[in-house]
Amino acid sequence: MSVRSNRKEEHLSLANQFYEPNKPNSFDQMGLLRPALPEAKVDLSSIKTTMFGKKVNAPFFINAMTGGSAKSFSINQAFGKIAQQAKIGLALGSASILVKEAEQLDSFLIAREKNPDGVIIANVNAKTEAMDAQKIVHELNADALQIHLNTVQEIAMPEGDRDFLWLDNLIELRQNVTVPIIIKEVGCGLDQATIHLLKNEGFELFDIAGSGGTNFAKIENARNQNDLSYLETIGLPTVVSALMAAEEKVTFIVSGGVRNPLDIFKGLCLGGKYVGISNVFLQTYQDQGEDALLQTILAWQKELASLLAIYGQNDLTNLSKIKHYFDLPLKNLIDQLS
């Protein structure tokens, strides 16, 4: 196994080791004003939407996790089948490994083979050359491309990059990749200044990936001989990052610490177009198997439709108009950053 593939396997193992299913995060500090008389009914069609021109059964999807190793082949195989059966989107883990190790393609391609007509999102790092990124998009027949920004993870990673001069290459990618591009953080949250800068450079879609879920600084610190644990506290809470994206009036995805359908609903109420879930789905699959994950996702679709009915909504169009409020610590943080 190559160094890169071994790192992929280590990430999966450490994500399992550090997983906290009930880990508190900023969603817990957000409340929604509920009508006692909602005048609505539970209807699964209320949560159906489109994603990159394709119909999906829900506005949440399986977000980027893995690819590029033997273990990730079986995971992406299962995720592809589940995404096809549940009719939701699937983002694959970073495929930048393919630039140096083309033989790892099957561990990504298997997801498309199992889900030939559904939404598949490819993922590369910010230094990937446009020609290589476009090749990956073509090989996976991807509907969109995530480009991840992960400076904190790279510093914590023993073999990580130390050159973060990425903007020129991002612009090159935007100009040459033929599918929509998503600028994505990896658990530390997109800040408003970065969103504003990239919006002015022509980027239109963002995945905020705030703190509160998988902590890649913690994962990399476990692989690091030096104690960089202080990096584990660097991060913008998901709710705060979502508010910043909404302020910039961009289309954005909410991810980072999503644990249940209520978190999904809150993400949509914050203005998210879609909501991405990673580790909860990964751990459900690894602990209970493929069918258990499928049944979990189907149950979440029903529960999300139930939440729409509870809050008097018949579709996804007006969720951002639901009044929300914040606990004082989160409200103070929001006020300080505004």
Side-chain angles (χ1 to χ4, degrees):
M1 186 183 299
S2 72
V3 171
R4 298 178 188 87
S5 289
N6 186 65
R7 183 169 67 233
K8 301 270 191 178
E9 303 265 314
E10 287 181 330
H11 286 170
L12 290 169
S13 176
L14 290 166
N16 176 264
Q17 180 180 329
F18 294 137
Y19 177 57
E20 301 176 58
N22 299 310
K23 178 181 178 181
N25 62 41
S26 57
F27 286 118
D28 299 323
Q29 298 175 275
M30 175 183 175
L32 299 167
L33 187 62
R34 178 187 63 83
L37 183 63
E39 287 296 294
K41 64 179 181 179
V42 178
D43 183 358
L44 278 172
S45 67
S46 68
I47 64 169
K48 291 185 177 181
T49 186
T50 58
M51 194 175 195
F52 304 114
K54 295 181 177 179
K55 294 179 180 180
V56 290
N57 281 352
F60 65 85
F61 67 100
I62 303 171
N63 213 347
M65 280 181 269
T66 194
S69 70
K71 189 172 183 179
S72 62
F73 177 94
S74 60
I75 292 173
N76 284 337
Q77 181 180 44
F79 285 175
K81 291 168 62 178
I82 290 165
Q84 189 274 331
Q85 291 171 295
K87 204 172 181 181
I88 60 172
L90 167 62
L92 301 173
S94 176
S96 298
I97 189 174
L98 298 179
V99 176
K100 297 292 180 72
E101 300 182 31
E103 66 274 14
Q104 300 292 348
L105 176 62
D106 285 351
S107 66
F108 298 92
L109 189 58
I110 187 64
R112 173 52 86 194
E113 291 176 356
K114 295 300 178 182
N115 189 12
D117 302 316
V119 175
I120 296 287
I121 303 169
N123 181 306
V124 297
N125 65 43
K127 294 179 68 175
T128 304
E129 293 185 7
M131 180 179 65
D132 293 323
Q134 180 58 33
K135 181 181 178 183
I136 289 167
V137 165
H138 175 73
E139 288 175 331
L140 300 179
N141 191 20
D143 299 283
L145 176 68
Q146 290 177 335
I147 303 173
H148 62 263
L149 309 182
N150 64 332
T151 56
V152 176
Q153 181 189 8
E154 293 289 350
I155 290 295
M157 189 187 302
E159 68 279 34
D161 289 335
R162 298 296 183 265
D163 176 358
F164 305 135
L165 299 173
W166 293 343
L167 181 57
D168 287 346
N169 195 59
L170 290 176
I171 294 170
E172 189 77 14
L173 285 161
R174 181 186 61 76
Q175 292 172 340
N176 290 281
V177 171
T178 57
V179 295
I181 285 177
I182 306 163
I183 298 294
K184 183 188 188 306
E185 239 286 349
V186 294
C188 285
L190 286 175
D191 61 288
Q192 189 165 352
T194 297
I195 295 171
H196 184 80
L197 169 65
L198 292 172
K199 181 178 75 168
N200 287 343
E201 293 291 350
F203 293 90
E204 300 177 343
L205 182 56
F206 301 83
D207 184 339
I208 60 168
S211 66
T214 304
N215 188 325
F216 274 96
K218 187 174 184 178
I219 286 174
E220 297 298 353
N221 196 47
R223 304 176 59 245
N224 202 328
Q225 293 183 353
N226 300 318
D227 181 11
L228 301 179
S229 56
Y230 57 85
L231 292 176
E232 297 169 19
T233 64
I234 294 180
L236 198 59
T238 299
V239 168
V240 177
S241 187
L243 291 170
M244 290 179 170
E247 183 72 19
E248 287 298 315
K249 295 180 170 55
V250 295
T251 303
F252 65 96
I253 294 163
V254 173
S255 68
V258 177
R259 305 155 299 185
N260 54 54
L262 182 56
D263 288 347
I264 295 172
F265 189 68
K266 288 179 179 179
L268 297 170
C269 291
L270 286 165
K273 177 82 170 173
Y274 311 107
V275 175
I277 301 100
S278 297
N279 212 7
V280 174
F281 288 167
L282 175 63
Q283 301 312 322
T284 300
Y285 167 72
Q286 291 190 322
D287 294 345
Q288 302 176 47
E290 184 178 317
D291 187 63
L293 177 55
L294 173 61
Q295 295 308 315
T296 295
I297 291 172
L298 294 177
W300 280 28
Q301 290 178 355
K302 294 176 183 177
E303 292 166 31
L304 182 59
S306 297
L307 285 165
L308 260 71
I310 288 173
Y311 283 87
Q313 305 297 310
N314 297 309
D315 55 43
L316 300 168
T317 56
N318 294 309
L319 299 191
S320 63
K321 295 180 181 179
I322 295 175
K323 290 186 177 181
H324 51 261
Y325 53 91
F326 307 109
D327 291 355
L328 282 178
L330 183 59
K331 179 66 164 61
N332 287 337
L333 175 59
I334 292 166
D335 291 344
Q336 289 181 60
L337 295 175
S338 62

